[in-house]
Amino acid sequence: NKAMDIYYQYKIYMSDDAVNWTLVIDKSNNDKDVPHDYVELTKPINARYVKMENIHNASGLFAISDFRVFGNGLLEKPKLVSQFKVDRSSTDSRNAMISWKKQSDAIGYTIYYGIDPNKLYNSIMVYDESKYDFRGLDKGTKYYFTIEAFNENGISVKNEIIETE
């Protein structure tokens, strides 16, 4: 027994000045149950502001818990991270102090690590810092680390992999 009122309708607008708005996505006639809708634009749009207009939702109470917009900025990607170091604690090898030189062109950094240099599947995202006190390694296990910087224009090249014991 499908409930006929479980559907989501909305419109998404974009603007450069938060005054003049352009309709970009119109789901006002949608009749599907898509609480986690994904919409990919057919062509890129340059905009500074995004707003969403709710038309209908299943509960009648409108709330947004996650609204993500993907794209690239118009400036340069960050440069390679310099002075990247991983100092594993000699008193407790489960801990490591990871540090790097803060970059003015980066808003954050992603540290990748793993137990094989070809399998750096774990990551830590750090914003507006130049160090990270890592307390989650296994004793007696060799780890490998690298880092990349990111901003609204993209990501830097990853650094050389550092091996720690």
Side-chain angles (χ1 to χ4, degrees):
N1 295 338
K2 181 181 176 194
M4 299 309 291
D5 64 340
I6 299 180
Y7 58 95
Y8 297 83
Q9 296 175 334
Y10 59 91
K11 292 181 181 180
I12 296 178
Y13 300 86
M14 294 188 177
S15 170
D16 287 328
D17 59 8
V19 174
N20 301 300
W21 295 93
T22 302
L23 179 65
V24 178
I25 298 166
D26 187 351
K27 295 281 189 144
S28 58
N29 294 319
N30 181 54
D31 62 356
K32 303 216 175 3
D33 180 10
V34 285
H36 304 286
D37 206 1
Y38 173 79
V39 179
E40 188 170 331
L41 301 177
T42 56
K43 62 180 183 172
I45 294 175
N46 293 331
R48 174 70 178 107
Y49 301 94
V50 179
K51 80 175 175 180
M52 180 179 193
E53 175 188 347
N54 177 51
I55 297 171
H56 176 86
N57 62 66
S59 70
L61 303 172
F62 181 64
I64 296 177
S65 62
D66 194 11
F67 186 91
R68 299 189 295 173
V69 177
F70 300 96
N72 294 316
L74 302 175
L75 302 175
E76 297 293 319
K77 296 177 184 180
K79 294 172 184 53
L80 181 75
V81 178
S82 63
Q83 300 176 25
F84 178 57
K85 297 178 197 159
V86 180
D87 295 319
R88 199 152 177 188
S89 173
S90 58
T91 57
D92 188 345
S93 63
R94 296 175 296 179
N95 304 329
M97 183 56 74
I98 304 170
S99 62
W100 57 92
K101 184 177 181 188
K102 194 171 183 179
Q103 296 179 202
S104 61
D105 62 350
I107 61 169
Y109 306 87
T110 305
I111 303 163
Y112 296 93
Y113 69 98
I115 58 172
D116 184 288
N118 298 312
K119 298 179 181 178
L120 304 180
Y121 300 145
N122 303 298
S123 64
I124 304 161
M125 193 171 285
V126 180
Y127 287 91
D128 202 34
E129 293 289 334
S130 60
K131 64 182 175 185
Y132 183 78
D133 188 3
F134 189 18
R135 298 180 173 265
L137 303 173
D138 293 332
K139 284 186 174 185
T141 302
K142 189 182 293 186
Y143 281 90
Y144 301 86
F145 293 84
T146 190
I147 190 170
E148 68 188 11
F150 62 86
N151 65 18
E152 58 277 349
N153 305 300
I155 58 174
S156 71
V157 174
K158 289 181 181 148
N159 281 57
E160 298 262 336
I161 294 174
I162 293 176
E163 177 183 318
T164 67
E165 294 237 24

